[in-house]
PDB file of all heavy atoms in Angstrom:
ATOM      1  N   ILE C   3      86.066 -17.102-108.690  1.00  0.00           N
ATOM      2  CA  ILE C   3      86.833 -16.980-109.931  1.00  0.00           C
ATOM      3  C   ILE C   3      86.509 -15.644-110.586  1.00  0.00           C
ATOM      4  O   ILE C   3      85.430 -15.092-110.398  1.00  0.00           O
ATOM      5  CB  ILE C   3      86.560 -18.134-110.930  1.00  0.00           C
ATOM      6  CG1 ILE C   3      85.048 -18.290-111.169  1.00  0.00           C
ATOM      7  CG2 ILE C   3      87.161 -19.435-110.447  1.00  0.00           C
ATOM      8  CD1 ILE C   3      84.754 -19.178-112.352  1.00  0.00           C
ATOM      9  N   ARG C  99      65.951  14.802-120.571  1.00  0.00           N
ATOM     10  CA  ARG C  99      67.331  14.758-121.072  1.00  0.00           C
ATOM     11  C   ARG C  99      68.008  13.432-120.777  1.00  0.00           C
ATOM     12  O   ARG C  99      69.228  13.332-120.775  1.00  0.00           O
ATOM     13  CB  ARG C  99      68.177  15.890-120.465  1.00  0.00           C
ATOM     14  CG  ARG C  99      67.861  17.239-121.061  1.00  0.00           C
ATOM     15  CD  ARG C  99      68.783  18.301-120.534  1.00  0.00           C
ATOM     16  NE  ARG C  99      68.766  19.453-121.417  1.00  0.00           N
ATOM     17  CZ  ARG C  99      69.610  19.634-122.415  1.00  0.00           C
ATOM     18  NH1 ARG C  99      70.541  18.750-122.648  1.00  0.00           N
ATOM     19  NH2 ARG C  99      69.527  20.698-123.186  1.00  0.00           N
ATOM     20  N   GLU C 121      57.747   3.557-148.698  1.00  0.00           N
ATOM     21  CA  GLU C 121      58.597   4.494-149.422  1.00  0.00           C
ATOM     22  C   GLU C 121      59.665   5.064-148.486  1.00  0.00           C
ATOM     23  O   GLU C 121      59.395   5.398-147.343  1.00  0.00           O
ATOM     24  CB  GLU C 121      57.728   5.635-149.966  1.00  0.00           C
ATOM     25  CG  GLU C 121      58.483   6.574-150.877  1.00  0.00           C
ATOM     26  CD  GLU C 121      57.641   7.803-151.224  1.00  0.00           C
ATOM     27  OE1 GLU C 121      56.390   7.707-151.171  1.00  0.00           O
ATOM     28  OE2 GLU C 121      58.234   8.841-151.529  1.00  0.00           O
ATOM     29  N   VAL C 141      78.587   1.798-141.056  1.00  0.00           N
ATOM     30  CA  VAL C 141      77.225   1.495-141.502  1.00  0.00           C
ATOM     31  C   VAL C 141      77.206   0.780-142.849  1.00  0.00           C
ATOM     32  O   VAL C 141      77.978   1.115-143.739  1.00  0.00           O
ATOM     33  CB  VAL C 141      76.422   2.804-141.690  1.00  0.00           C
ATOM     34  CG1 VAL C 141      75.025   2.505-142.238  1.00  0.00           C
ATOM     35  CG2 VAL C 141      76.305   3.574-140.400  1.00  0.00           C
ATOM     36  N   PRO C 215      66.638 -19.027-139.173  1.00  0.00           N
ATOM     37  CA  PRO C 215      65.237 -19.372-138.924  1.00  0.00           C
ATOM     38  C   PRO C 215      64.920 -19.673-137.455  1.00  0.00           C
ATOM     39  O   PRO C 215      63.755 -19.667-137.064  1.00  0.00           O
ATOM     40  CB  PRO C 215      65.022 -20.618-139.791  1.00  0.00           C
ATOM     41  CG  PRO C 215      66.095 -20.550-140.829  1.00  0.00           C
ATOM     42  CD  PRO C 215      67.268 -19.894-140.173  1.00  0.00           C
ATOM     43  N   GLY C 304      77.811  18.370-158.979  1.00  0.00           N
ATOM     44  CA  GLY C 304      77.313  17.001-158.894  1.00  0.00           C
ATOM     45  C   GLY C 304      78.199  16.021-158.135  1.00  0.00           C
ATOM     46  O   GLY C 304      77.892  14.843-158.063  1.00  0.00           O
ATOM     47  N   TYR C 314      71.059  17.895-145.196  1.00  0.00           N
ATOM     48  CA  TYR C 314      71.946  18.689-144.342  1.00  0.00           C
ATOM     49  C   TYR C 314      71.294  20.033-143.998  1.00  0.00           C
ATOM     50  O   TYR C 314      71.255  20.432-142.829  1.00  0.00           O
ATOM     51  CB  TYR C 314      73.293  18.894-145.054  1.00  0.00           C
ATOM     52  CG  TYR C 314      74.150  19.960-144.424  1.00  0.00           C
ATOM     53  CD1 TYR C 314      74.727  19.775-143.162  1.00  0.00           C
ATOM     54  CD2 TYR C 314      74.367  21.171-145.078  1.00  0.00           C
ATOM     55  CE1 TYR C 314      75.501  20.765-142.578  1.00  0.00           C
ATOM     56  CE2 TYR C 314      75.141  22.162-144.501  1.00  0.00           C
ATOM     57  CZ  TYR C 314      75.701  21.958-143.249  1.00  0.00           C
ATOM     58  OH  TYR C 314      76.449  22.951-142.669  1.00  0.00           O
ATOM     59  N   GLU C 320      66.639  22.558-138.290  1.00  0.00           N
ATOM     60  CA  GLU C 320      66.023  21.984-137.096  1.00  0.00           C
ATOM     61  C   GLU C 320      66.917  22.071-135.887  1.00  0.00           C
ATOM     62  O   GLU C 320      66.503  21.777-134.778  1.00  0.00           O
ATOM     63  CB  GLU C 320      65.726  20.508-137.328  1.00  0.00           C
ATOM     64  CG  GLU C 320      64.430  20.291-138.058  1.00  0.00           C
ATOM     65  CD  GLU C 320      64.200  18.817-138.288  1.00  0.00           C
ATOM     66  OE1 GLU C 320      64.754  18.012-137.528  1.00  0.00           O
ATOM     67  OE2 GLU C 320      63.470  18.498-139.230  1.00  0.00           O
TER      68      GLU C 320
END
Side-chain angles (χ1 to χ4, degrees):
I3 52 167
R99 285 185 161 268
E121 187 189 335
V141 176
Y314 166 69
E320 277 179 24

